[in-house]
Amino acid sequence: RGARTDKGVSAMGLVVGVRVRSKVRDGKGVVSVGSGVGENDEEINFPQVLNRVLPPEIRCVGWAPVEPSFNARFDAAHRTYKYFFCRGNLNLERMREAGAQLVGSHDFRNFCKMDVVNVSNFTRTILAFELNVIGHVRMNGVDVEICEVQLQGHAFLWHQVRCIMAILFMVGECAEEPDVVSYLLDLSRCPSKPSYALASELPLLLYDCAYDTKHVSEWICDQVE
């Protein structure tokens, strides 16, 4: 898998590497040719085949041929997460000021659930942070703004996005100052993670897993039923 998500988190652009039977004789990823493969056979419609057996809430929307050494997790160039929420009384400018401090390479041990058994390096790189109002809905006769935080990074720690959102919500509620992010990233001033509740997993979406063209040169998406 291109990324591992918590229970309850949705995924829109998850990439999964699988070995499958093919009906072509050569090309990227073809390691052997079956005896029944003809010279001009068309490739199997993989999304159609998979979607027949997958539950309706899980859909395959495209595929790409890759080399046998391809690893969906470790070959990913970057991943994009989105987190949706109602604005309410949140101060978005304060949240943007705080979020901007996340960009770059930092030790995020104060922004994750510690997994010392499997992880020894807590440095991760955030490539971009955005917070935007994306729409309005009418709820109980009141016009409510829907907001979206988008985080793009090479890789993420366990619960990292939910921890980030928890801090941003406190900043937006004026319970913390925007520079609390810099404080938590500075291990000389904050050597251990403070106690705070995680943001909910339900509004979190794994939006995209991106790959360099040397790994994935073409996505075939026009065969979906």
Side-chain angles (χ1 to χ4, degrees):
R1 293 177 295 170
R4 296 172 295 174
T5 57
D6 302 336
K7 181 179 179 180
V9 175
S10 299
M12 181 176 176
L14 183 61
V15 175
V16 179
V18 295
R19 295 183 183 274
V20 294
R21 178 171 56 90
S22 175
K23 290 182 68 177
V24 298
R25 300 185 66 85
D26 54 41
K28 181 182 284 190
V30 177
V31 294
S32 63
V33 179
S35 58
V37 176
E39 289 288 345
N40 300 309
D41 284 357
E42 292 186 2
E43 186 56 282
I44 297 169
N45 188 328
F46 296 113
Q48 188 179 92
V49 172
L50 286 170
N51 287 334
R52 285 173 182 164
V53 296
L54 287 170
E57 62 270 21
I58 301 175
R59 296 287 88 183
C60 174
V61 298
W63 71 281
V66 294
E67 297 296 344
S69 59
F70 174 77
N71 187 297
R73 179 183 175 192
F74 295 112
D75 289 337
H78 58 78
R79 300 162 176 86
T80 301
Y81 281 90
K82 292 189 176 188
Y83 196 98
F84 303 93
F85 60 94
C86 297
R87 178 175 184 174
N89 294 321
L90 293 170
N91 186 316
L92 299 187
E93 288 306 313
R94 286 170 57 92
M95 294 175 70
R96 289 190 181 102
E97 181 182 347
Q101 299 166 48
L102 297 164
V103 177
S105 296
H106 307 284
D107 189 313
F108 281 96
R109 68 183 64 202
N110 289 332
F111 288 90
C112 72
K113 183 172 182 178
M114 299 289 283
D115 182 12
V116 294
V117 174
N118 298 306
V119 179
S120 58
N121 181 5
F122 296 92
T123 298
R124 297 292 185 271
T125 301
I126 299 295
L127 301 172
F129 169 88
E130 292 182 18
L131 193 167
N132 297 300
V133 177
I134 60 171
H136 299 75
V137 295
R138 198 79 176 164
M139 296 178 64
N140 298 322
V142 178
D143 191 38
V144 177
E145 289 183 309
I146 304 300
C147 302
E148 167 196 279
V149 163
Q150 180 170 296
L151 281 165
Q152 185 181 96
H154 291 310
F156 291 84
L157 296 163
W158 191 12
H159 289 176
Q160 183 178 345
V161 177
R162 293 171 63 191
C163 285
I164 287 172
M165 290 308 306
I167 298 299
L168 292 182
F169 285 145
M170 284 189 272
V171 171
E173 293 165 352
C174 298
E176 294 285 354
E177 293 301 316
D179 62 4
V180 69
V181 171
S182 293
Y183 170 74
L184 291 171
L185 291 173
D186 187 349
L187 298 184
S188 65
R189 292 192 293 158
C190 185
S192 60
K193 179 186 174 184
S195 177
Y196 58 87
L198 280 175
S200 171
E201 73 279 8
L202 296 179
L204 180 56
L205 171 71
L206 172 62
Y207 181 72
D208 182 47
C209 295
Y211 297 85
D212 294 333
T213 54
K214 67 179 180 180
H215 295 302
V216 181
S217 58
E218 176 188 17
W219 287 106
I220 302 170
C221 301
D222 59 350
Q223 295 179 301
V224 182
E225 288 184 317

